[in-house]
């Protein structure tokens, strides 16, 4: 079956266990949120699913094919990853920066084709960067830079989108826009999105499925309403949280 | 039809810069053919093929060979330097600061002294030396790799290789002048076969590198973004590093050890057009070639009939530019801060 399938995944870093026997199934065209306290292994799990780290034990398959049998380029055509932090080359213009996302669709000597320009235009329009396309990336605000990074990722035209804390550095309005954009991508463009979020309200709002990680394991997984409850939050985050005003 | 130029406004600036530098280069090329111990008029130059004066023929062809090699080698060194600066994302790295040129020169000198003199073998040794020098520098700094450690390690490798080379040259049985250009970077010892080798390799490799420049742009992003965009970084490292070694190694057999030229040309290109490898590569080549040709012409004419090695002139010209780049870098105005 298509989708991402993680089975018996264990990962150690400097002899410390980061992930322990993870089994997970990501169905197509869903919005999956990974939540959990800091250091619970969310980012590592996402990186392993995105092929950014090499597997130590266990398997990850993407559309029924093992992740490590993909070449980097063919993986990038299927799956795009937004890292938590990345440097932005200061002198590039937004459009030049976004154009780099077409890397996986080009060969060694080719120039940008008509399809490439179309994909770049589409990504810029989706992220609302039309008016800034000819500005240098360094002149943008943190939120706009984040949108430029998202546009870079969208130009890959991959089906699976993996986002590691995309809300970092965004103000309230930008966060709303980002949420709207993500749910639009999932509902209208049929993308499968896996996203790490910290705000439980936002999770309730957009997720189809929530995976709660704690202490290198999956604590629970399921519909947001079932997962995000007083008991689970107390278990995972070790703090009380009042859910009475969370509208579902 | 889509207007691509509208989207990438730097293409226009790049075109203008290329035209400007090519014009400058042509002017200095023709001027350099005319200047020297025996001055040659413009009319004699134009009637080169129809005239029967063998002494003028000889002078012109000698100067022509010398200029071709200056242009190609200066350009190739700058281009190789631009590649390794891009790969390491470090603006202060250059072939002479990572031990590439020194180890290459050492190999060539030792082989010439204890075995045979052959330009073709020299080419292989130069390339192998450049490759090994950089490999040594990078494997020594594999644990603590930051901008400073790479350069300091490279400088110590460079000093050691230079010291051994100087020891060999000082104890040479034959004329020291034959080897002097490996220390100072000059063009006394140009011979016909080296010119051909350098010229053919320039024609083969340089256009290839220019075409690959477009693909290279993505390497200026950080590792993680590169991976997620599908860049096989390891393959890229090997390919581009091999090309850089080939360029630097070839420049060694032509002109020997050149100093600062490698570090300043890509940085000047970067100041002119920003960090865009597809434009930086051709511009570095032009700036490197132009600077070296200018230095050689000045060195040849300023106290003629004696000559100042071009390497010394380029070092003198480059030192202030290098200081300027260094200050800019520490004031935080540089691209890679």
């Amino acid at each position: 079956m298509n989708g991402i399938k993680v089975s018996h995944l264990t990962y150690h870093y400097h002899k410390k266990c980061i992930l322990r026997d993870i089994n997970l199934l990501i169905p197509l065209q869903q919005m999956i949120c990974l939540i959990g306290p800091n250091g619970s292994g969310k980012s590592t799990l996402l990186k392993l699913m995105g092929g950014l780290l090499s597997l130590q034990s266990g398997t990850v398959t993407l559309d029924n094919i093992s992740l490590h049998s993909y070449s980097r380029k063919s993986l990038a055509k299927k799956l795009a990853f937004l890292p938590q932090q990345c440097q932005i080359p200061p002198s590039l213009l937004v459009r030049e920066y976004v154009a780099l996302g077409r890397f996986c669709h080009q060969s060694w000597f080719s120039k940008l084709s008509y399809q490439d320009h179309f994909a770049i235009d589409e990504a810029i329009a989706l992220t609302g960067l039309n008016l800034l396309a000819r500005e240098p990336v360094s002149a943008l605000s943190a939120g706009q830079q984040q949108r430029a990074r998202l546009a870079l990722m969208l130009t890959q035209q991959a089906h699976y989108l993996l986002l590691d804390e995309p809300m970092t550095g965004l103000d309230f309005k930008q966060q709303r826009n980002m949420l709207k954009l993500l749910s639009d991508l999932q509902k209208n463009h049929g993308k499968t999105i896996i996203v790490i979020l910290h705000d439980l309200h936002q999770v309730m709002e957009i997720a189809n499925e929530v995976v709660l990680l704690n202490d290198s394991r999956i604590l629970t997984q399921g519909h947001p309403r079932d997962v995000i409850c007083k008991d689970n939050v107390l278990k995972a985050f070790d703090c009380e949280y009042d859910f009475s005003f969370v509208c579902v | 039809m889509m207007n691509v130029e509208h989207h990438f406004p730097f293409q226009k600036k790049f075109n203008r810069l290329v035209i400007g530098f090519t014009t400058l280069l042509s002017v200095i090329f023709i001027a350099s053919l005319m200047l020297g111990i025996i001055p040659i008029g413009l009319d004699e130059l134009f009637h080169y093929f129809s005239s029967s004066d063998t002494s003028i023929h000889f002078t012109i062809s000698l100067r022509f060979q010398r200029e071709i090699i200056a242009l190609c080698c200066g350009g190739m060194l700058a281009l190789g330097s631009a590649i390794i600066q891009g790969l390491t994302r470090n603006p202060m790295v250059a072939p002479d600061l990572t031990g590439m040129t020194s180890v290459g020169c050492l190999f060539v000198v030792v082989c010439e002294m204890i075995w045979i003199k052959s330009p073709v073998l020299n080419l292989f040794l130069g390339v192998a030396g450049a490759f090994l020098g950089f490999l040594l520098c990078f494997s020594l700094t594999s644990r603590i790799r930051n901008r400073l450690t790479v350069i300091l390690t490279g400088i110590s490798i460079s000093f050691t290789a230079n010291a051994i080379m100087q020891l060999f040259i000082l104890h040479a049985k034959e004329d020291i002048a034959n080897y002097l250009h490996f220390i100072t970077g000059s063009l006394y010892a140009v011979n016909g076969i080296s010119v051909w080798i350098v010229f053919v390799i320039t024609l083969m490799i340089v256009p290839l590198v220019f075409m690959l420049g477009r693909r290279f742009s993505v390497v200026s992003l950080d590792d993680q973004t590169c991976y997620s965009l599908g860049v096989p970084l390891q393959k890229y490292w090997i390919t581009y590093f091999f090309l850089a070694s080939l360029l630097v190694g070839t420049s060694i057999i032509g002109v020997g050890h050149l100093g600062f030229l490698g570090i300043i040309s890509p940085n000047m290109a970067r100041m002119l057009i920003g960090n865009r490898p597809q434009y930086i590569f051709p511009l570095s080549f032009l700036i490197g070639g132009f600077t070296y040709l200018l230095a050689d012409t000045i060195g040849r004419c300023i106290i003629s009939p004696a000559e100042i090695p071009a390497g010394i002139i380029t070092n003198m010209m480059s030192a202030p530019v290098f200081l300027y780049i260094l200050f800019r870098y520490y004031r935080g105005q540089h691209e890679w801060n």
Side-chain angles (χ1 to χ4, degrees):
Chain A
M1 119 171 211
N2 286 353
I4 301 179
K5 192 179 168 200
V6 179
S7 41
H8 305 296
L9 184 73
T10 302
Y11 192 82
H12 293 265
Y13 184 73
H14 286 314
K15 291 182 182 167
K16 189 177 170 240
C17 188
I18 309 286
L19 293 170
R20 190 171 297 149
D21 197 29
I22 303 280
N23 291 295
L24 190 62
L25 200 67
I26 312 277
L28 287 179
Q29 299 180 6
Q30 298 287 309
M31 173 86 72
I32 288 96
C33 286
L34 294 182
I35 57 171
N38 290 337
S40 57
K42 304 181 298 289
S43 288
T44 311
L45 178 58
L46 203 69
K47 278 180 194 166
L48 284 165
M49 287 197 282
L52 262 74
L53 293 173
S54 46
L55 294 173
Q56 292 172 346
S57 68
T59 52
V60 178
T61 59
L62 176 71
D63 292 346
N64 290 325
I65 301 168
S66 169
L67 208 59
H68 66 251
S69 51
Y70 282 95
S71 71
R72 280 241 162 261
K73 222 170 142 180
S74 56
L75 185 65
K77 280 184 198 167
K78 285 205 157 189
L79 183 147
F81 187 93
L82 181 76
Q84 202 167 7
Q85 289 164 335
C86 63
Q87 290 165 349
I88 285 198
S91 65
L92 291 189
L93 307 183
V94 171
R95 200 184 160 85
E96 287 175 310
Y97 178 65
V98 175
L100 295 179
R102 292 304 288 173
F103 181 90
C104 56
H105 295 274
Q106 293 173 305
S107 62
W108 280 87
F109 297 107
S110 64
K111 287 185 172 183
L112 287 176
S113 68
Y114 193 76
Q115 282 96 330
D116 292 332
H117 280 290
F118 182 74
I120 296 164
D121 285 335
E122 199 187 14
I124 287 178
L126 268 175
T127 44
L129 288 168
N130 280 329
L131 294 175
L132 301 167
R134 295 190 65 180
E135 298 285 320
V137 186
S138 55
L140 305 187
S141 71
Q144 289 164 338
Q145 285 188 351
Q146 185 73 349
R147 267 153 59 197
R149 289 169 52 193
L150 189 69
L152 175 75
M153 177 190 180
L154 291 177
T155 357
Q156 278 175 249
Q157 292 187 319
H159 178 74
Y160 295 91
L161 304 179
L162 275 60
L163 299 98
D164 195 347
E165 298 187 24
M167 302 299 181
T168 322
L170 300 188
D171 66 13
F172 179 67
K173 189 185 160 202
Q174 298 289 355
Q175 292 198 5
R176 301 301 310 165
N177 287 343
M178 179 72 88
L179 278 187
K180 224 187 278 174
L181 176 61
L182 287 182
S183 80
D184 174 55
L185 283 170
Q186 182 234 334
K187 286 185 181 123
N188 303 331
H189 297 254
K191 308 267 187 201
T192 307
I193 300 177
I194 309 172
V195 54
I196 296 180
L197 286 178
H198 278 300
D199 189 326
L200 297 180
H201 294 91
Q202 293 174 351
V203 175
M204 291 293 246
E205 201 176 316
I206 60 165
N208 296 120
E209 195 173 321
V210 178
V211 178
L212 176 59
L213 279 142
N214 183 34
D215 199 17
S216 343
R217 292 169 201 276
I218 295 179
L219 196 66
T220 58
Q221 138 181 34
H223 194 273
R225 233 173 316 176
D226 307 326
V227 175
I228 301 177
C229 63
K230 235 176 180 174
D231 288 350
N232 284 337
V233 170
L234 187 65
K235 242 190 252 171
F237 294 90
D238 199 20
C239 76
E240 298 273 346
Y241 193 74
D242 184 12
F243 285 97
S244 57
F245 60 88
V246 177
C247 37
V248 182
Chain B
M1 184 62 202
M2 192 175 288
N3 186 0
V4 177
E5 227 169 57
H6 171 77
H7 294 312
F8 299 99
F10 280 89
Q11 183 71 43
K12 224 176 198 169
K13 191 178 174 189
F14 168 71
N15 292 346
R16 272 190 300 229
L17 282 170
V18 167
I19 293 170
F21 273 111
T22 316
T23 318
L24 269 178
L25 206 62
S26 325
V27 170
I28 190 85
F29 196 90
I30 294 172
S32 176
L33 278 178
M34 289 157 57
L35 296 171
I37 308 168
I38 308 166
I40 290 171
L42 207 56
D43 51 333
E44 284 168 309
L45 206 61
F46 280 124
H47 295 119
Y48 173 72
F49 291 106
S50 54
S51 87
S52 53
D53 190 340
T54 46
S55 75
I56 287 183
H57 256 257
F58 182 70
T59 316
I60 291 179
S61 68
L62 207 64
R63 282 185 195 161
F64 186 76
Q65 280 187 0
R66 204 178 154 142
E67 284 174 29
I68 284 287
I69 216 161
L71 187 68
C72 294
C73 289
M76 276 200 284
L77 185 80
L79 186 56
S81 175
I83 294 178
I84 59 167
Q85 285 188 1
L87 273 182
T88 54
R89 303 181 188 118
N90 182 347
M92 295 295 148
V93 156
D96 52 322
L97 294 182
T98 44
M100 288 174 94
T101 43
S102 327
V103 178
C105 285
L106 175 68
F107 278 22
V108 174
V109 167
V110 170
C111 173
E112 282 203 350
M113 282 193 177
I114 61 176
W115 198 27
I116 44 166
K117 283 186 183 184
S118 136
V120 180
L121 186 67
N122 281 355
L123 174 68
F124 283 106
L125 286 171
V127 174
F131 199 83
L132 279 179
F134 191 77
L135 221 58
L136 189 65
C137 176
F138 250 63
S139 48
L140 283 178
T141 51
S142 60
R143 280 184 187 275
I144 24 160
R145 183 170 305 152
N146 59 43
R147 285 180 181 159
L148 213 58
T149 50
V150 171
I151 297 164
L152 291 177
T153 315
I155 289 175
S156 43
I157 293 170
S158 193
F159 268 96
T160 318
N162 266 340
I164 300 172
M165 187 172 73
Q166 282 167 12
L167 191 72
F168 266 91
I169 291 176
L170 286 176
H171 288 88
K173 289 191 187 98
E174 44 194 318
D175 197 3
I176 293 180
N178 286 348
Y179 300 105
L180 222 51
H181 73 286
F182 285 109
I183 303 178
T184 51
S186 95
L187 292 165
Y188 307 127
V190 174
N191 63 45
I193 306 168
S194 325
V195 175
W196 273 109
I197 293 176
V198 169
F199 189 62
V200 168
I201 291 202
T202 310
L203 281 189
M204 276 171 11
I205 304 296
V206 171
L208 179 75
V209 174
F210 288 173
M211 283 193 284
L212 289 176
R214 196 182 296 279
R215 292 295 272 179
F216 195 83
S217 331
V218 79
V219 182
S220 56
L221 303 174
D222 56 314
D223 278 359
Q224 214 165 48
T225 315
C226 279
Y227 280 132
S228 50
L229 290 179
V231 186
L233 267 185
Q234 223 169 2
K235 204 161 102 186
Y236 264 58
W237 252 91
I238 294 167
T239 314
Y240 283 103
F241 177 49
F242 178 72
L243 286 174
S245 304
L246 201 59
L247 290 168
V248 173
T250 316
S251 86
I252 289 171
I253 69 160
V255 298
H257 188 84
L258 272 183
F260 277 136
L261 190 64
I263 195 166
I264 62 152
S265 313
N267 276 310
M268 273 170 76
R270 202 167 288 123
M271 278 195 285
L272 288 173
I273 199 124
N275 194 14
R276 297 176 174 81
Q278 73 268 38
Y279 303 145
I280 286 183
F281 287 178
L283 278 183
S284 306
F285 183 82
L286 286 174
I287 293 174
F290 170 73
T291 316
Y292 195 57
L293 190 56
L294 185 70
D296 185 50
T297 313
I298 292 174
R300 218 153 40 82
C301 302
I302 203 165
I303 50 163
S304 77
E307 271 190 26
I308 305 174
I312 293 177
I313 308 260
T314 47
N315 277 359
M316 282 183 192
M317 293 198 298
S318 311
V321 184
F322 179 65
L323 277 180
Y324 172 68
I325 293 167
L326 204 65
F327 288 142
R328 235 172 96 91
Y329 179 70
Y330 280 108
R331 270 189 311 216
Q333 291 163 324
H334 199 277
E335 191 72 31
W336 266 314
N337 268 317

